Amino acid sequence: EPEVTQTPSHQVTQMGQEVILRCVPISNHLYFYWYRQILGQKVEFLVSFYNNEISEKSEIFDDQFSVERPDGSNFTLKIRSTKLEDSAMYFCASRTGTSPINQPQHFGDGTRLSIL
Amino acid sequence: DQQVKQNSPSLSVQEGRISILNCDYTNSMFDYFLWYKKYPAEGPTFLISISSIKDKNEDGRFTVFLNKSAKHLSLHIVPSQPGDSAVYFCAASDQGGKLIFGQGTELSVKP
């Protein structure tokens, strides 16, 4: 069964450094998402991406965050200058664009980001 | 943000019995509801979903019930198996957009 893959599984970075989290969504999917889960808290929406542009973003997704689909397969989340509070599990998700509009999002296994 | 709430952080059930996980929501614009299962060190795995035009959806041992007037949904697992032990998340969305998650319920199925 096709799956969403994320790399790396664990990223350790010094505060203030840039980090790029990578995702390969399911190949025929058209909608892409990033979520994060801080330890002990809910899974929170960060951003959604469709047709090569951001379709929605949360208040968490400030100017330090950006997303990109650099080619036909990868979907990346960049944090420009990491802060301690960015430490979390980051999940990528994708869903098909076929009708009906309500289709489930499928998640990768996440990247654990640890900021020192 | 308390739009989706799972009030039970944990549930313990005997193997073979029914597991019932509950979820409440406040936003009447939600039109699609999902249940995900999550093991440690893995991402959420889609389990079952229901559109707001239905009140029940069944897939094998898993059934989701939706009560729109009460803004409540539940997931029934019957019979429960030890392999069902995991954290279960309820999620909701409107018009196919972002998912809003509950806090999760940790289900333990004892042999």
Side-chain angles (χ1 to χ4, degrees), chain A residues 57-77:
Chain A
K57 60 184 180 180
S58 73
E59 57 190 30
I60 301 167
F61 195 89
D62 62 22
D63 291 345
Q64 293 301 310
F65 290 85
S66 62
V67 289
E68 194 177 34
R69 189 155 163 80
D71 52 43
S73 59
N74 290 285
F75 180 51
T76 62
L77 174 69

Side-chain angles (χ1 to χ4, degrees), chain A residues 31 33 35 37 41-45 56 89 91 95 101-110 112, chain B residues 1-2 4 31-32 34 36 38 41-44 46 51 89 93 95-99 101-103:
Chain A
Y31 293 83
Y33 305 84
Y35 294 82
Q37 186 178 28
Q41 297 186 23
K42 288 186 178 186
V43 176
E44 305 173 283
F45 167 77
E56 188 174 1
M89 279 292 289
F91 295 107
R95 72 170 175 89
I101 191 170
N102 286 329
Q103 295 285 344
Q105 295 177 25
H106 296 272
F107 286 76
D109 282 340
R112 179 176 300 282
Chain B
D1 180 0
Q2 295 290 314
V4 178
D31 62 358
Y32 185 50
L34 308 91
Y36 285 86
K38 187 179 181 303
E42 294 185 13
F46 170 69
S51 168
F89 291 97
S93 77
Q95 294 297 302
K98 67 179 183 287
L99 295 180
F101 282 85
Q103 303 96 314

Side-chain angles (χ1 to χ4, degrees), chain B residues 11-79:
Chain B
L11 175 67
S12 184
V13 169
Q14 207 67 31
E15 181 180 4
R17 308 295 284 265
I18 185 170
S19 295
I20 301 176
L21 297 101
N22 294 301
C23 178
D24 297 296
Y25 63 95
T26 56
N27 190 340
S28 56
M29 298 301 293
F30 289 147
D31 62 358
Y32 185 50
F33 304 89
L34 308 91
W35 285 94
Y36 285 86
K37 176 179 178 180
K38 187 179 181 303
Y39 294 115
E42 294 185 13
T45 300
F46 170 69
L47 204 53
I48 192 168
S49 63
I50 187 165
S51 168
S52 61
I53 62 173
K54 296 186 174 183
D55 54 21
K56 177 182 173 181
N57 188 26
E58 193 171 349
D59 183 2
R61 297 186 297 115
F62 303 92
T63 304
V64 55
F65 295 92
L66 176 62
N67 181 335
K68 285 189 293 293
S69 60
K71 294 192 176 69
H72 177 84
L73 65 155
S74 61
L75 173 68
H76 292 210
I77 306 172
V78 56

Side-chain angles (χ1 to χ4, degrees), chain A residues 28-31 50 95-104, chain B residues 32 96:
Chain A
N28 63 344
H29 284 189
L30 300 179
Y31 293 83
Y50 170 72
R95 72 170 175 89
T96 180
T98 57
S99 178
I101 191 170
N102 286 329
Q103 295 285 344
Chain B
Y32 185 50

